Amino acid sequence: MTQIYDRVALIGLGLIASSMCHAMRRAGLAGEIVGYARSPETRAIAREIGLCDTICETAAEAAKDADLVVLCVPVGAMAAVAAEIGPVLKPGVTVSDVGSVKRTVIESVGPHIPKGVHFVPAHPLAGTEHSGPRSGFAELFDGRYTILVPTEGSETAAIDRLADLWRGMGALIEQMDAEHHDLVLAVTSHTPHLIAYTMVGVADDLRRVTDSEVIKYSAAGFRDFTRIAASDPVMWRDVFLNNKEATLEILGRFTEELFALQRAIRQGDGDHLHDYFTRTRSIRRGIIEAGQDTDAPDFGRTKAAKT
Ligand code: NAP
């Protein structure tokens, strides 16, 4: 694989940035990778584990001579970081981000991007429930989609170059506009996370159960909710605050369907339940056929991992 950028700056050194660092190194996509995280603790860990070639003390120092700057902080923190780095960006460089919401990031970061700098927002649809600089791994993006959401005036050459970087990190590329992105993600990621948080919260409210049975019998579906509900609270708070309309729209539809299922259960309408579950089962098949999950039973967990 050939080098695509001379110097890449990663601002924020959590799961996504550290995975990008490993994936870029795996394929030799960057001449030099510099990084910055706001806390001295995270910077110290990054140095200790050799993440990036240089760890800088400020975001501006990291961004100063970079050809590509990627904002890898929670969505609600993007604007402040952009305001700090904006004045030091060289003309012709690209600024991107990995935020899980796109419209508000474009609205809040865009005004800080100077003329002559290309702003090409992106979102890798890959993650785990872990966070921080130690949680990254080179394979995270392999075979997963990264959605590029070019802004008005994003030059084709800058978009193509960023797409090449993501392809080099193993990703499949799609482009869409911010509104569409936010609606699709509300369906596929944001609302499911909210439902998982709710389900785990409900179980926790039933303290008597949580203390014993919920943990003991967690293999029965609940365990997968708890994995999702262990995701970073700051990141997810920001996702819901910033993808308000789309999430509320999907939650409204979800509630209607839930009421319909509730009625079917009350009325003993087995046909309704059976038809519904048959339709949803085929969606799972579609995801496996698209190569986006394994068809191994229990998500490929080994027997050892279950115990
Ligand atoms: P993470 O592991 O929690 O790391 C977040 C990083 O941002 C840390 O370096 C943290 O610094 C820094 N940070 C947090 N709050 C900040 C603030 N107010 N100002 C400046 N820096 C701040 O997060 P992540 O999972 O990599 O997520 C990063 C971005 O990727 C988010 O926008 C998220 O929406 C998006 N994303 C996440 C996933 C996922 O599954 N995790 C998937 C796709 C996209 P300290 O360590 O110093 O606190």
Side-chain angles (χ1 to χ4, degrees):
M1 193 66 72
T2 46
Q3 185 178 309
I4 294 171
Y5 294 96
D6 288 340
R7 182 172 151 121
V8 175
L10 301 171
I11 311 296
L13 294 173
L15 169 73
I16 300 296
S18 56
S19 296
M20 288 182 73
C21 184
H22 296 305
M24 284 190 278
R25 279 187 171 159
R26 177 181 67 176
L29 303 170
E32 187 190 8
I33 304 171
V34 298
Y36 164 76
R38 92 190 141 155
S39 71
E41 293 78 19
T42 300
R43 297 199 293 274
I45 294 170
R47 289 190 183 106
E48 183 196 322
I49 63 175
L51 193 69
C52 304
D53 300 302
T54 310
I55 299 295
C56 302
E57 289 299 305
T58 65
E61 187 192 336
K64 193 158 59 85
D65 294 314
D67 304 293
L68 171 69
V69 182
V70 189
L71 310 182
C72 306
V73 296
V75 166
M78 299 258 179
V81 172
E84 187 191 336
I85 65 167
V88 305
L89 296 169
K90 296 186 298 189
V93 309
T94 295
V95 172
S96 186
D97 76 294
V98 294
S100 305
V101 179
K102 296 277 59 106
R103 191 177 53 83
T104 57
V105 167
I106 291 169
E107 284 171 2
S108 62
V109 169
H112 300 290
I113 305 297
K115 239 181 151 50
V117 169
H118 308 289
F119 180 33
V120 188
H123 179 201
L125 306 190
T128 74
E129 68 278 25
H130 300 298
S131 6
R134 293 187 197 276
S135 60
F137 52 99
E139 300 77 21
L140 180 64
F141 311 114
D142 287 349
R144 302 275 171 238
Y145 283 96
T146 288
I147 301 180
L148 300 185
V149 185
T151 53
E152 222 175 285
S154 295
E155 279 183 19
T156 311
I159 300 168
D160 290 347
R161 197 170 170 198
L162 187 69
D164 284 344
L165 181 85
W166 277 105
R167 270 190 214 99
M169 290 192 286
L172 309 167
I173 303 298
E174 285 286 347
Q175 269 192 43
M176 54 180 77
D177 67 46
E179 301 285 339
H180 189 64
H181 167 278
D182 289 356
L183 183 63
V184 169
L185 267 292
V187 177
T188 58
S189 170
H190 304 167
T191 309
H193 271 80
L194 198 70
I195 293 165
Y197 280 121
T198 314
M199 195 56 231
V200 175
V202 166
D204 188 45
D205 288 342
L206 302 170
R207 284 240 169 251
R208 208 165 33 86
V209 180
T210 309
D211 289 345
S212 53
E213 285 153 308
V214 168
I215 311 271
K216 190 168 163 192
Y217 302 123
S218 67
F222 182 70
R223 184 177 57 185
D224 295 312
F225 279 118
T226 64
R227 187 188 64 73
I228 296 172
S231 302
D232 186 66
V234 173
M235 171 189 154
W236 284 98
R237 177 202 64 193
D238 284 6
V239 165
F240 293 116
L241 294 179
N242 286 277
N243 200 14
K244 206 171 175 171
E245 285 84 11
T247 311
L248 290 177
E249 161 71 21
I250 301 306
L251 266 181
R253 287 168 187 248
F254 174 82
T255 313
E256 284 171 20
E257 301 269 316
L258 194 62
F259 279 143
L261 290 173
Q262 211 173 325
R263 197 178 52 233
I265 293 169
R266 183 177 302 113
Q267 294 177 342
D269 186 349
D271 288 346
H272 181 99
L273 296 173
H274 186 268
D275 289 351
Y276 201 90
F277 300 157
T278 303
R279 182 153 67 88
T280 52
R281 191 176 213 190
S282 71
I283 292 175
R284 172 81 192 149
R285 231 173 277 132
I287 290 172
I288 291 159
E289 277 161 22
Q292 295 300 303
D293 207 349
T294 167
D295 64 351
D298 203 12
F299 305 99
R301 284 189 183 103
T302 62
K303 213 162 186 281
K306 284 182 185 176
T307 51

